[in-house]
Amino acid sequence: MAAAGAGAGSEGKKRGASRSWILFDAAGDERVLDADKYAIMHRVDINARDLRILDPLLSYPSTILGRERAIVLNLEHIKAIITSEEVLLRDPSDENVIPVVEELRRRIAPSSATQHDGKENLSGQHDVEGAEEDESPFEFRALEVTLEAICSFLDARTTELETDAYPALDELTSKISSRNLDRVRKLKSGMTRLTARVQKVRDELEQLLDDDDDMADLYLSRKLAGASSPVSGSGGPNWFPASPTIGSKISRASRASVATVHGNENDVEELEMLLEAYFMQIDGTLNKLTTLREYIDDTEDYINIQLDNHRNQLIQLELFLSSGTVCLSLYSLVAGVFGMNIPYTWNDNHGYIFKWVVLVSGLFCAFMFVSIVAYARHKGLVGS
């Protein structure tokens, strides 16, 4: 009974546990978290509704939500939670997420590793570069990595689709067959699904760009600096790991954010420029798909024209056959009438009549056939 209870408890724990997360912080530390949803909610201070958006078993549209202390991001396979000092990325072992993990490792971790064994880099050039990097808040750098990854992913899928679609469409125009039609049908279905995915991401970026309040909600460092006291550091969040490097990063980020708060809290120009850059990129991808759709529509119109032409040729052939059938039926009627065993006076000693009947009937049927064809051409029913 105890073993059974332990087994049931283990299964319940597995069911309650969420899938793995990978965490990057501003100090360059990286670790994998196997935490349940309640631990994640407590760590980043979001509610269950926001965390449910990142559930891969549920279907939610592309979303970028700004919360008090976090950004909830759901873009296709990229499901992440971004705070002012951490990035939690879901399912890091997924083949589509691995490039995002590598990019985060390359773009975020080295940018903040300005200290090594407690000694700061004294090079003037490196200090200038570090200052330039510190001007951009941590959450914006993480958001830029995710946006760049999803835009590159969708653009790569679009390029692959174009590589397969254009030769298939050209082959279909040269030879209409069931195999080519089925191939184009599958490509068109894939293009429709990909267009919907790109459109969702574009709509989300466009919605953010149209609302300054939504963009202001993504300034986590500004909100954190506004809620904290510039004099004492007691107002900082207590869920950051204790580290002198993180402490220095928080101090620098807080100073930059406080300067922003004292300037203009509604200034969203930096984020707007970031979002516009990737909006233009995803809009370019959508334009590629639109061009491909137009090419497919043009190919379909050309195929329909070809099929209509073949159909018209079949109708012309049917007209010729029907006309010939009518003329031969008249000839058969004459033959049937004269072939009946009915006694006629002109049947006796008038053998030459047979030749005249055959000749006149044949000429009359041929004249009728030519007249029908000439009338059809005069009315434009058949080609010249």
Side-chain angles (χ1 to χ4, degrees), residues 227-290:
S228 304
S229 174
V231 179
S232 63
S234 59
N238 56 7
W239 38 269
F240 290 121
S243 171
T245 305
I246 293 183
S248 63
K249 296 297 291 184
I250 293 176
S251 177
R252 288 194 296 271
S254 299
R255 289 196 297 269
S257 301
V258 168
T260 306
V261 169
H262 289 311
N264 184 5
E265 294 182 357
N266 295 324
D267 182 16
V268 294
E269 182 179 359
E270 181 181 358
L271 180 59
E272 187 175 7
M273 292 175 62
L274 174 65
L275 294 178
E276 281 181 351
Y278 291 104
F279 176 80
M280 293 176 63
Q281 183 175 350
I282 201 70
D283 194 54
T285 302
L286 186 61
N287 289 335
K288 290 182 181 179
L289 292 172
T290 303

Side-chain angles (χ1 to χ4, degrees), residues 37 95 104 110 121 124 153 155 192 244 289 294 298 313-314 341 346 367:
K37 61 180 182 180
E95 60 179 359
L104 284 171
N121 190 346
F153 174 80
D155 186 69
T192 302
L289 292 172
E294 293 175 353
D298 292 341
Q313 291 178 355
L314 290 175
N341 296 324
W346 51 267
F367 175 76

Side-chain angles (χ1 to χ4, degrees), residues 60-88:
Y60 282 93
S62 297
T63 306
I64 302 176
L65 297 177
R67 295 297 182 246
E68 186 63 28
R69 292 187 177 182
I71 298 174
V72 180
L73 187 142
N74 176 28
L75 296 175
E76 293 289 325
H77 55 276
I78 302 177
K79 303 178 185 298
I81 302 175
I82 303 173
T83 68
S84 59
E85 288 292 332
E86 289 182 340
V87 179
L88 282 83

Side-chain angles (χ1 to χ4, degrees), residues 73 101 180 289 296 308:
L73 187 142
V101 175
N180 292 336
L289 292 172
I296 292 177
D308 290 340

Side-chain angles (χ1 to χ4, degrees), residues 197-227:
R197 294 162 60 186
V198 174
Q199 186 68 47
K200 289 179 182 178
V201 177
R202 182 187 181 277
D203 291 343
E204 181 62 23
L205 294 179
E206 185 177 14
Q207 182 178 356
L208 280 175
L209 288 170
D210 290 341
D211 196 331
D212 290 346
D213 293 336
D214 288 344
M215 285 191 287
D217 288 338
L218 303 183
Y219 279 79
L220 303 179
S221 299
R222 175 189 294 173
K223 292 188 291 186
L224 180 63

